[in-house]
Amino acid sequence: EPEVTQTPSHQVTQMGQEVILRCVPISNHLYFYWYRQILGQKVEFLVSFYNNEISEKSEIFDDQFSVERPDGSNFTLKIRSTKLEDSAMYFCASSGQTSEQYFGPGTRLTVT
Amino acid sequence: TQLLEQSPQFLSIQEGENLTVYCNSSSVFSSLQWYRQEPGEGPVLLVTVVTGGEVKKLKRLTFQFGDARKDSSLHITAAQPGDTGLYLCAGVTNSGYALNFGKGTSLLVTP
């Protein structure tokens, strides 16, 4: 069964550094998303991406964040100048023509 | 941001019991999805409901979408220890595809 994959599973970085989180969505899906979940809190929407551009973003997704689909399979989230409060699980998701979103296993980002 | 309230927050029951968890909002959703999440893992999609009043069954799990598409419930019959986990509801508004998640119901089923 097709699934969303994410790398790395765990990323540790120092405050102020840049990180890139990678995702491979399900191959025939057209819509891609990033969510985050701070420990003990609910899953929060960051951004959606369709047709090589951002289609929707939350207020969390400020200039510190960017997304890119560098090739036909990968979808990345870049966080510039990381802060302690960026520590969270980051989930990638993808969907086809319906609203059903399939999530990856997540990347645990720890900012020290 | 639409607020999805899930209740109860925690539920501990014995194997074989039935249970219902709820997901409520003051907002109307074009669709609502139920996920199950294990610690340290991503949410796994269980079901999507789209039509007001819709009922969907997945083995021992029954999902219902409210007539006004503002609320939903998940009923589990004869719960088993394997049902233990965090159950999340998430709604999609008419304006986009972003999922608005509730905080979840943490279910523990003991043998």
Side-chain angles (χ1 to χ4, degrees):
Chain A
E1 184 173 330
E3 58 183 19
V4 177
T5 59
Q6 291 185 243
T7 54
S9 57
H10 191 189
Q11 174 86 49
V12 181
T13 189
Q14 286 192 325
M15 195 168 52
Q17 296 297 305
E18 174 182 286
V19 295
I20 297 176
L21 310 183
R22 291 182 167 81
C23 168
V24 178
I26 294 173
S27 62
N28 62 345
H29 282 181
L30 303 174
Y31 297 84
F32 315 116
Y33 313 83
W34 284 102
Y35 292 82
R36 79 172 185 191
Q37 186 175 32
I38 295 171
L39 186 63
Q41 298 186 22
K42 67 177 184 177
V43 177
E44 300 174 291
F45 169 76
L46 293 178
V47 66
S48 62
F49 192 85
Y50 171 72
N51 200 25
N52 286 318
E53 61 182 24
I54 291 173
S55 51
E56 190 176 355
K57 62 181 181 178
S58 72
E59 57 190 25
I60 301 170
F61 193 88
D62 59 21
D63 292 343
Q64 184 193 7
F65 296 89
S66 62
V67 290
E68 190 178 30
R69 187 155 165 82
D71 54 45
S73 60
N74 290 283
F75 179 51
T76 63
L77 174 68
K78 181 188 291 186
I79 309 175
R80 289 179 283 273
S81 188
T82 50
K83 299 174 283 192
L84 294 177
E85 53 265 39
D86 294 328
S87 294
M89 283 288 285
Y90 287 81
F91 295 109
C92 173
S94 69
S95 64
Q97 292 296 336
T98 70
S99 60
E100 294 188 334
Q101 296 183 25
Y102 295 86
F103 283 73
T107 293
R108 179 175 298 282
L109 176 64
T110 301
V111 182
T112 61
Chain B
T1 301
Q2 291 76 20
L3 188 61
L4 273 167
E5 296 280 356
Q6 291 192 245
S7 60
Q9 187 176 357
F10 300 101
L11 187 57
S12 180
I13 62 172
Q14 288 196 317
E15 183 176 2
E17 292 185 22
N18 301 331
L19 66 114
T20 302
V21 298
Y22 301 92
C23 174
N24 295 294
S25 176
S26 57
S27 300
V28 176
F29 293 100
S30 59
S31 70
L32 193 140
Q33 299 172 33
W34 283 91
Y35 291 85
R36 180 173 152 183
Q37 186 179 29
E38 302 294 335
E41 299 181 11
V44 176
L45 180 64
L46 297 175
V47 79
T48 300
V49 286
V50 177
T51 306
E54 182 176 7
V55 176
K56 280 192 174 179
K57 290 192 174 184
L58 185 65
K59 297 183 181 178
R60 294 176 292 101
L61 278 60
T62 302
F63 304 85
Q64 186 162 8
F65 201 14
D67 291 341
R69 292 186 287 128
K70 293 182 178 180
D71 54 86
S72 182
S73 64
L74 159 59
H75 181 80
I76 301 179
T77 304
Q80 299 176 0
D83 295 327
T84 293
L86 180 66
Y87 290 84
L88 301 169
C89 67
V92 178
T93 68
N94 289 322
S95 62
Y97 281 88
L99 282 171
N100 297 280
F101 277 84
K103 291 185 178 180
T105 292
S106 181
L107 173 66
L108 174 64
V109 183
T110 54

